[in-house]
Amino acid sequence: KLLALLMSCVLAATAFSGCTQNTQNQSNSDTPIETETTTSEESKSNESSAAFVENLYDPNFSIELLEDGIKKVIDGEGRELILVPKEMEEVPAEYTDSIVIRTPVENAVFLSSTQVCTFRAVDDSAIIEAIAGVSGGVDEWAGIPAIKENASIVDIGGASMGEPDYELIQSLNPDIVFLYTGSNPQTNQIAKFEELGINYAVDNEYMESNYLARMEWMRFILTFFNADEQVNEVMNNAQKVVDEVK
C-alpha cells in the first residue's frame, strides 16, 4: 500500500509538471515576438533619392528631381518647366526644346501679392532682393515691409487685377513672371508674355480649398529660388500648429 501511494504521488507530480510546462509554452506562443526591423543602406539611399518631391496636401503642381540638380516643374496649367542650376555651364541637349529657367532665379516679377507673401515664411533677404517688380501699387504691400521699403522693387501697375505695364516689365528683363489662371485667369497677360518671349509660371494657390494645400504652393514658387529645405521646415511646423489647434 505504501509503495502504491508513493508511485501515485510521483505520477501526479509528473503530470502537474507536464501541464505547467505546456501552459508556459502556450503562453509564450501567444506573446508577439518583437523583432528589430532594419533597413539596408541601399534601401535608405533609394528612399532618399525619390524622383518626385512629395506634396503633402495634394496641391495642383508637381516637382520632380532629375539629374545634377535639375528639376522638372509642372505649373498650375500643366505646363512643364525645366529648372537648370546656373552653375551648370550648358543646358543638357535633351532639354533644349523645353522651357528652361536657370536657378536660382535672381530677377522675378509677381502679378499677385499672395505669391510674394510666401517669402515671409523663409525670411531670406537674398530672395527679397531677387524681386524685380510687383503688381498692384505700394498700398497692397503694406503688410510686407521688406517689399514696400525696398526702393529697387518696381511697381509694374495692374492694380485691382488689371493689366500691368508690359513695356516696363520687358525693360526689367525678368527671368520669370509669376501669374495665375483659375477662376480669374490672366489670359491677356499670358498671351502678351508669349508674344514678348517672356517666361512665366502659373501659380494657382488661391484656387485650393484646403488651407494647407494653398500654403504648400510656396513649395512651387520657392523652388525657383532653391529654398526647398526652408519650405519643408515651414510646412512641417505648420502641420504641428494645425494639429495642436485641433
Side-chain angles (χ1 to χ4, degrees):
K1 290 180 179 180
L2 181 59
L3 179 60
L5 180 61
L6 289 174
M7 290 181 67
S8 298
C9 289
V10 170
L11 289 173
T14 302
F16 178 77
S17 175
C19 289
T20 301
Q21 184 64 38
N22 288 338
T23 301
Q24 291 175 344
N25 290 342
Q26 180 65 35
S27 176
N28 290 339
S29 67
D30 291 341
T31 303
I33 299 175
E34 295 184 2
T35 59
E36 181 179 356
T37 302
T38 59
T39 304
S40 68
E41 292 301 320
E42 181 179 358
S43 297
K44 291 179 181 178
S45 175
N46 290 337
E47 290 174 1
S48 63
S49 61
F52 281 93
V53 175
E54 181 182 3
N55 285 337
L56 302 178
Y57 307 102
D58 199 28
N60 293 301
F61 70 86
S62 69
I63 302 171
E64 183 179 357
L65 306 179
L66 305 178
E67 72 286 351
D68 302 322
I70 299 173
K71 291 178 279 191
K72 181 169 74 173
V73 174
I74 305 299
D75 74 2
E77 280 293 313
R79 298 166 58 251
E80 178 183 294
L81 298 95
I82 301 297
L83 280 52
V84 179
K86 287 184 176 178
E87 60 264 25
M88 187 176 293
E89 293 184 4
E90 296 184 3
V91 176
E94 60 264 38
Y95 305 121
T96 53
D97 293 331
S98 303
I99 301 172
V100 174
I101 311 296
R102 302 306 294 264
T103 55
V105 166
E106 298 176 351
N107 190 21
V109 169
F110 295 84
L111 300 191
S112 170
S113 57
T114 58
Q115 296 164 348
V116 181
C117 285
T118 62
F119 289 9
R120 291 190 296 180
V122 297
D123 191 23
D124 189 333
S125 59
I127 294 179
I128 297 295
E129 292 299 323
I131 301 175
V134 294
S135 175
V138 175
D139 291 340
E140 283 201 24
W141 305 93
I144 314 178
I147 303 295
K148 186 176 180 179
E149 298 168 6
N150 192 326
S152 66
I153 298 177
V154 177
D155 176 10
I156 59 169
S160 301
M161 295 187 290
E163 293 195 38
D165 185 331
Y166 296 110
E167 290 185 357
L168 183 55
I169 293 175
Q170 192 173 26
S171 70
L172 295 174
N173 192 28
D175 298 326
I176 193 163
V177 176
F178 290 93
L179 46 75
Y180 53 88
T181 55
S183 59
N184 293 293
Q186 294 183 307
T187 51
N188 291 341
Q189 290 87 330
I190 288 174
K192 195 64 177 179
F193 290 138
E194 290 181 346
E195 176 189 336
L196 297 173
I198 295 175
N199 287 325
Y200 65 90
V202 178
D203 157 61
N204 281 341
E205 103 285 333
Y206 79 102
M207 293 292 295
E208 299 291 349
S209 58
N210 179 297
Y211 41 87
L212 286 172
R214 178 177 294 197
M215 184 177 180
E216 194 173 15
W217 274 88
M218 73 171 65
R219 192 188 304 280
F220 171 79
I221 293 175
L222 292 173
T223 196
F224 289 83
F225 301 86
N226 292 347
D228 306 83
E229 291 184 9
Q230 296 99 309
V231 173
N232 288 337
E233 182 177 354
V234 170
M235 291 305 302
N236 289 337
N237 289 337
Q239 181 62 65
K240 290 178 182 178
V241 171
V242 170
D243 290 342
E244 290 172 1
V245 171
K246 287 181 179 180

